[in-house]
Amino acid sequence: MNRNDKLRIIFGRLMQAIPSIIGIIIVTFILTRALPGDPAVYFAGPAATEKSIQEVRVSLGLDKGWLEQFWIYATSLATGDLGVSVSTGLSVKEELIRRLPASLELTFLALIFSVGVALPLGIAAATRPNSWVDQLCRLVVTAGVSLPVFFTGLFMVYLFYYILGIAPAPLGRLDIIYLSPPTVTGFYTIDALLDGDFETFGAAFRQLILPAITLGIFTLAPLARMTRGAMLQVLSSDFIRTARASGLKRSTVLYSYAFRNALLPILTTLGMVFSFMLGSNVLVEKVFAWPGIGSFAIEALIVSDYAAVQGFVLAMAILYVLLNLTIDIVYTLVDPRVGLES
Amino acid sequence: MKEKRMPDAFPLLDIKNLSVEFRTRSGVVKALENVSLEVLRGEIVGIVGESGSGKSVSALTAMGILDPAGHVTAGSISLGGLDVLGASEAVLQTMRGQQASMIFQSPRTSLNPIRTVGKQIGDVLHRHNMANRQNLREMVIKALKTVRIPDPDRRFDAYPFEMSGGMCQRIMIAMALACSPELLIADEPTTGLDVTTQAAIMDLIRDLSRERNMATVLITHDLAMAADYCDRIIVMHAGHVVESGTSRDLFLSPRHPYTAKLMKATPNGGGSLDDIASIPGGLPDLRGELPPCRFSGRCERHEAICDSSALIAKEVSPDHFVNCQRPL
Amino acid sequence: MSEFFKHLRYVLTENPVTLIAGTMFVLLVIAAFIGPSIVPYDPMASSASQSLKPPSWEHWFGTDQLGRDVFSRIVVATRLDLAIAVSAVAISFIFGSVLGSLAGFFGGWADRIVGRITDTIMAFPLFVLAMGIVAALGNSVENIVYATAIINLPFYARMSRTEVNIRRSADFVLAARLAGNSSLRLLATQIYPNTLPPLMVQVSLNMGWAILNAAGLSFIGLGVRPPTAEWGIMVAEGAGYIVSGEWWLAIFPGLALMLAVFTFNLLGDGLRDLIDPRRRT
């Protein structure tokens, strides 16, 4: 297996994403045309005049055949045109780009929290079956998937903000007394650090903690379950016995032998975890008034701003495909066996 | 009885009256009962028996890597003077690989699938301070050469899935012997390999054992192979040692009915215990109450005395022991 | 069959959690069927003088901003929440298992088309897709059901595809074929029924998830509309009162939701033990 083979496989993976993207575009196209009645009326918004509805009809190509409509839809997507949000009057693309960093910052921190808790918990549970850690892991796994993410969020707000008073009010990314840091990455915490403004960093971070933990708790369960399962399986495999029989230290056996092998199935689960995360993200953003693309979509849904909603669905789907692609590529790099069968 | 045998030879591996139980959901499995065996330096000892007879459990217990569900209820194990059952995990870890090593069946799954074989051997050398970062590669290649692997320099960077089963078994042997242990336990090392590779691997194990004057335990269900390669053979059945003696004694005059059946069932080499049809019944269920002789249910010579008196090892000729009330 | 009941008893006694889940399940079903006639208050009756009262002897779970009894509303909501989840799961179970069976049985084009459909659905973050579907089809309870059904479809399709595929060449199928049964008949009478037990486990595990999804959609204002009593929307309505300390508005319906989901998840685990003892985790 040389470098070229790996590159070839990664290229193959990239190619495999294309049908997914085509599928996504077809589905979103159908969704925009499935509106009961005249889609042009919906896309033009509630305050539209006869003239603006006609303009929308032409720009969407609704007066043309299905295939031609799809062609217009696909080509406008290719140029990044997601239409105009009737509620804000801005282009949907700009709105999404402006709000994406808020969602990503939240999602990344949640992912770090979730992985940081789930992996050690799963490993500990697998190495000590039926111990208290194992029972705890079981509880987390069963309870975690049963907790409605918006309920967890509200409960935490009640506990940490109202009762204990240690968390800031659940009102967005930064308390109004602070100015948002100069935009570099769009992540307030990182931008504040780059600016050397530790006070703003602290404030932004405090705002992040509760929503990130809320989101993390939900995704923790599948990850911990998978980690525990994968570790149990790997630990009972033949090569672990060989490693132990060769006198390798427990830590070596556990981490550089068992865990690295268990990581492969865990990586595969990560795809599902991302699906959960991007979905729950919307709910968490609503609970914490987080100005990300989820809140944008909810606001748009309420005022029937269709271009905005479908733009959001499309953006999330593309993001999800990219995340899955990243997982695939990491997998290819980690597992030397990938590509042998082809 | 032990005192009579070679009083001046100090056995490297000395297992005395070992009993092991597995506590499972469905009951306590008495996997080993009163098992004693010893292996001297430079000696190749075969442990023969069907699957589930306790061969591997004995070996794993001697290495101190018994499954957590397994509990030693009686007996002692001394390995080169080290009290295995009483030693701390840290001491045992150092012992493994350095004083005693073990190789397993299904070599392809017994190696870490996502680590190059060179690194895996290197891990063992590094663990036992037999190599440092500078000479690691060189030492690994040396180890690969001892197991007669062609083109060792290229093999260093290969993954197990890129090699044949026989080659993987050589890698495992190289790994086991990298730190020059005094004891090698080979647990069915040729199962699943094709016949020519089997012979090559067994020749390699024998040659290396002789060269290094290692104590070697060969666990197998292939009687013919045990006879070919071992100095002495221990026959196990359902967690009991039923008979032990030199390969020659055992083959010329088996005294336990079970051994005799095995002989008959294994014609002229090549046969294995898996295709025994002539021994009635299977291994008894090792849960719950068992008769003193666990072979009694399958034995044609079974009589009342077998169920009433405890088994005692009888020395029927020098160094030839049999655990039976009514030996042949 | 007696073997089955022995195993059922073993699972129940070995794992009391399953027993608890079973009991909670029965309670949920009772609440769904006769809830409206046993609750102490009219779930819709508002009373300005009784608004935002904390839990007390008269109002176990307190009252909401309009003075409605939270406990009564939660009990009454059981029917709607379960109905949404049950219909959604039923739809995806029926369509998913049929599509999956056809794909698994015939292979080739059928398999490719079904595979493409499920892959396309799975290419979306599922909750987001559900949002998009409800937005496109229109904001109504039925459309929540359809959206939840669509996002659950791939699980059933994939599972029954695998199950049918395994059984396609099994001996009894071959025997039936030799006896002159047609392919479709074979699939419907010999293979499909045998795939049901593992699918039922999936149904149970899926119910919890379907409830969560439907509640999530109504939490963000889709489908169910006020003043209807439904757990998701009750949490949403109560959310604003959390920061001022009136916790019972959101916490109790949230707890009800959680317990319902928990019940189905535990039940699914228990069912899995029952059907496939080997796959115990």
Side-chain angles (χ1 to χ4, degrees):
Chain A
M1 176 76 41
N2 60 38
R3 192 169 290 265
N4 276 335
D5 289 336
K6 286 279 182 200
L7 281 176
R8 196 169 44 76
I9 294 161
I10 290 173
F11 183 74
R13 290 274 186 275
L14 287 172
M15 291 294 106
Q16 274 168 22
I18 289 176
S20 299
I21 290 178
I22 293 175
I24 287 168
I25 292 174
I26 292 175
V27 170
T28 47
F29 172 73
I30 294 172
L31 289 180
T32 57
R33 298 304 188 271
L35 293 167
D38 184 355
V41 175
Y42 288 91
F43 276 87
T49 60
E50 196 50 48
K51 186 161 163 284
S52 64
I53 291 175
Q54 188 56 35
E55 275 168 19
V56 170
R57 183 171 292 133
V58 172
S59 77
L60 290 178
L62 292 172
D63 45 354
K64 303 195 176 69
W66 281 97
L67 270 177
E68 206 170 336
Q69 283 188 39
F70 181 71
W71 177 248
I72 293 171
Y73 179 75
T75 44
S76 62
L77 280 188
T79 58
D81 179 12
L82 294 173
V84 175
S85 160
V86 289
S87 49
T88 61
L90 291 168
S91 97
V92 172
K93 185 176 108 186
E94 273 170 42
E95 283 282 357
L96 289 176
I97 289 175
R98 195 167 58 82
R99 285 160 170 267
L100 191 62
S103 298
L104 286 182
E105 188 176 28
L106 172 59
T107 309
F108 279 139
L109 193 67
L111 188 67
I112 292 170
F113 167 76
S114 164
V115 169
V117 175
L119 295 195
L121 184 64
I123 293 173
T127 47
R128 283 179 280 274
N130 295 319
S131 66
W132 66 269
V133 190
D134 194 18
Q135 302 301 342
L136 179 74
C137 182
R138 261 176 227 211
L139 182 75
V140 166
V141 162
T142 326
V145 289
S146 306
L147 284 173
V149 67
F150 47 91
F151 171 70
T152 328
L154 287 172
F155 183 76
M156 294 233 266
V157 168
Y158 180 66
L159 185 64
F160 293 103
Y161 168 69
Y162 184 77
I163 301 264
L164 299 174
I166 50 176
L171 295 169
R173 301 178 77 184
L174 209 50
D175 199 303
I176 40 167
I177 59 164
Y178 297 97
L179 288 175
S180 55
T183 305
V184 184
T185 58
F187 289 16
Y188 279 8
T189 46
I190 293 177
D191 287 351
L193 281 183
L194 290 177
D195 195 36
D197 183 352
F198 292 103
E199 213 187 322
T200 307
F201 168 78
F205 190 71
R206 275 195 300 279
Q207 294 288 135
L208 258 174
I209 291 176
L210 280 193
I213 290 180
T214 304
L215 192 50
I217 285 178
F218 191 58
T219 50
L220 213 148
L223 263 181
R225 168 179 244 163
M226 196 63 212
T227 308
R228 177 176 174 275
M231 277 302 278
L232 273 177
Q233 210 194 346
V234 172
L235 282 173
S236 68
S237 61
D238 292 345
F239 71 88
I240 291 298
R241 192 180 53 184
T242 312
R244 292 183 63 207
S246 322
L248 296 187
K249 287 206 173 78
R250 192 181 148 79
S251 55
T252 317
V253 172
L254 219 50
Y255 298 105
S256 72
Y257 278 62
F259 181 63
R260 276 195 208 172
N261 274 278
L263 209 53
L264 299 171
I266 296 172
L267 264 179
T268 320
T269 323
L270 219 50
M272 205 62 227
V273 168
F274 279 130
S275 172
F276 281 170
M277 233 174 198
L278 295 179
S280 331
N281 196 46
V282 179
L283 299 170
V284 173
E285 286 188 9
K286 178 165 157 82
V287 171
F288 291 92
W290 199 257
I293 58 176
S295 309
F296 172 67
I298 295 175
E299 287 158 23
L301 269 173
I302 291 165
V303 298
S304 301
D305 183 350
Y306 290 95
V309 176
Q310 301 310 346
F312 159 77
V313 173
L314 187 76
M316 284 297 231
I318 301 283
L319 186 63
Y320 182 50
V321 169
L322 292 180
L323 286 170
N324 274 325
L325 198 61
T326 315
I327 294 172
D328 270 355
I329 291 172
V330 171
Y331 198 109
T332 310
L333 295 175
V334 173
D335 189 348
R337 288 163 297 184
V338 168
L340 184 82
E341 59 276 10
S342 63
Chain B
M1 67 182 198
K2 295 266 155 51
E3 294 78 49
K4 281 193 284 176
R5 199 174 146 257
M6 300 193 208
D8 50 354
F10 173 68
L12 184 76
L13 174 65
D14 192 357
I15 299 181
K16 280 201 175 77
N17 310 104
L18 184 68
S19 295
V20 172
E21 287 179 359
F22 283 88
R23 290 166 198 166
T24 68
R25 268 169 184 272
S26 53
V28 175
V29 177
K30 292 167 187 153
L32 292 185
E33 191 179 66
N34 210 14
V35 166
S36 297
L37 63 92
E38 31 188 73
V39 185
L40 309 179
R41 280 191 175 77
E43 184 185 37
I44 303 180
V45 173
I47 304 183
V48 180
E50 291 160 86
S51 327
S53 59
K55 303 165 295 190
S56 297
V57 173
S58 313
L60 292 173
T61 314
M63 296 290 292
I65 51 172
L66 193 59
D67 185 272
H71 299 269
V72 175
T73 51
S76 66
I77 300 174
S78 154
L79 205 162
L82 173 75
D83 171 17
V84 173
L85 298 178
S88 71
E89 181 55 27
V91 172
L92 288 178
Q93 269 178 14
T94 317
M95 174 276 279
R96 283 178 224 133
Q98 210 160 315
Q99 266 141 302
S101 282
M102 189 159 173
I103 60 174
F104 301 92
Q105 58 175 309
S106 45
R108 299 193 64 167
T109 58
S110 293
L111 292 170
N112 187 343
I114 59 167
R115 202 166 169 77
T116 62
V117 296
K119 279 189 184 150
Q120 293 188 53
I121 298 174
D123 287 340
V124 179
L125 284 166
H126 191 73
R127 163 68 180 90
H128 297 291
N129 302 319
M130 302 292 281
N132 52 37
R133 206 155 287 177
Q134 286 76 46
N135 67 0
L136 192 70
R137 194 178 174 99
E138 181 193 328
M139 294 292 285
V140 170
I141 287 170
K142 207 175 115 194
L144 290 173
K145 277 183 186 150
T146 58
V147 293
R148 304 169 199 163
I149 282 186
D151 201 359
D153 201 48
R154 199 169 58 85
R155 292 289 179 190
F156 184 98
D157 296 309
Y159 290 96
F161 70 88
E162 296 171 302
M163 291 190 237
S164 67
M167 207 50 88
C168 285
Q169 190 56 279
R170 284 174 197 267
I171 300 287
M172 208 167 12
I173 296 171
M175 207 157 123
L177 300 186
C179 304
S180 311
E182 297 163 285
L183 171 71
L184 172 70
I185 303 178
D187 188 351
E188 314 219 4
T190 59
T191 306
L193 302 180
D194 63 65
V195 182
T196 42
T197 319
Q198 285 190 0
I201 293 290
M202 282 315 303
D203 288 347
L204 176 68
I205 292 176
R206 180 182 54 198
D207 295 352
L208 290 170
S209 299
R210 298 284 186 241
E211 259 168 46
R212 296 167 175 230
N213 199 32
M214 270 191 311
T216 305
V217 174
L218 172 67
I219 296 175
T220 178
H221 55 233
D222 187 336
L223 258 179
M225 183 200 283
D228 282 348
Y229 291 95
C230 299
D231 305 313
R232 264 188 325 120
I233 293 178
I234 293 162
V235 180
M236 289 189 73
H237 175 265
H240 280 167
V241 170
V242 295
E243 189 167 5
S244 67
T246 60
S247 301
R248 191 184 156 77
D249 278 354
L250 231 65
F251 264 71
L252 292 181
S253 55
R255 302 297 296 272
H256 194 283
Y258 180 63
T259 319
K261 292 264 185 201
L262 288 186
M263 294 301 155
K264 276 201 203 116
T266 315
N268 300 314
S272 83
L273 297 191
D274 286 341
D275 33 61
I276 296 175
S278 56
I279 301 183
L283 286 174
D285 187 348
L286 298 183
R287 292 169 294 191
E289 284 305 305
L290 287 160
C293 170
R294 294 180 176 182
F295 188 63
S296 61
R298 308 166 81 180
C299 185
E300 286 161 9
R301 298 170 60 80
H302 170 241
E303 283 194 357
I305 184 169
C306 300
D307 295 331
S308 54
S309 318
L311 278 183
I312 307 164
K314 297 175 187 163
E315 185 163 14
V316 286
S317 62
D319 284 343
H320 187 171
F321 295 88
V322 60
N323 265 330
C324 181
Q325 301 290 353
R326 305 184 63 240
L328 292 161
Chain C
M1 213 55 205
S2 74
E3 188 63 23
F4 176 82
F5 283 110
K6 245 174 74 186
H7 191 61
L8 175 73
R9 222 185 66 196
Y10 169 77
V11 168
L12 288 182
T13 47
E14 180 78 356
N15 191 355
V17 179
T18 311
L19 197 63
I20 296 170
T23 317
M24 294 205 302
F25 175 70
V26 172
L27 287 178
L28 280 175
V29 172
I30 291 174
F33 275 98
I34 60 166
S37 49
I38 55 164
V39 289
Y41 295 91
D42 178 355
M44 296 303 188
S46 51
S47 150
S49 62
Q50 289 295 310
S51 68
L52 296 176
K53 292 267 185 276
S56 65
W57 202 230
E58 290 92 76
H59 297 284
W60 292 354
F61 291 175
T63 61
D64 67 7
Q65 72 281 11
L66 298 176
R68 295 172 296 192
D69 181 49
V70 175
F71 175 74
S72 301
R73 287 175 68 75
I74 288 175
V75 173
V76 169
T78 314
R79 182 183 290 179
L80 181 57
D81 275 274
L82 288 193
I84 294 176
V86 168
S87 3
V89 168
I91 293 173
S92 46
F93 170 74
I94 293 167
F95 283 90
S97 65
V98 168
L99 284 178
S101 309
L102 292 175
F105 190 73
F106 291 108
W109 277 106
D111 194 16
R112 241 170 283 169
I113 291 170
V114 174
R116 187 46 57 213
I117 292 173
T118 53
D119 282 356
T120 305
I121 296 175
M122 295 296 283
F124 287 87
L126 295 175
F127 186 75
V128 171
L129 179 62
M131 284 172 66
I133 293 172
V134 177
L137 295 182
N139 194 347
S140 71
V141 177
E142 298 95 85
N143 290 337
I144 290 232
V145 172
Y146 296 140
T148 310
I150 290 173
I151 62 172
N152 279 320
L153 192 93
F155 298 104
Y156 294 99
R158 285 182 179 182
M159 198 162 176
S160 49
R161 178 189 174 276
T162 321
E163 296 289 335
V164 168
N165 222 336
I166 298 168
R167 290 174 173 81
R168 189 165 61 160
S169 53
D171 288 343
F172 71 93
V173 177
L174 204 67
R177 187 169 279 174
L178 289 175
N181 287 309
S182 79
S183 301
L184 264 179
R185 202 185 142 82
L186 200 67
L187 178 61
T189 60
Q190 302 291 326
I191 305 178
Y192 186 72
N194 279 293
T195 65
L196 292 180
L199 280 172
M200 287 319 290
V201 176
Q202 182 70 24
V203 165
S204 181
L205 290 172
N206 220 212
M207 273 294 289
W209 200 62
I211 295 175
L212 271 187
N213 264 305
L217 289 172
S218 55
F219 178 77
I220 58 173
L222 290 177
V224 187
R225 256 169 270 194
T228 316
E230 191 275 342
W231 296 331
I233 203 159
M234 287 174 75
V235 178
E237 286 184 307
Y241 295 91
I242 279 274
V243 284
S244 51
E246 284 96 7
W247 53 274
W248 55 92
L249 267 68
I251 298 295
F252 283 121
L255 277 176
L257 189 53
M258 190 191 91
L259 278 179
V261 178
F262 204 49
T263 301
F264 283 106
N265 285 344
L266 290 180
L267 221 52
D269 284 339
L271 212 55
R272 178 172 48 200
D273 290 352
L274 197 64
I275 287 171
D276 184 1
R278 278 167 300 126
R279 245 188 279 174
R280 297 194 72 142
T281 46

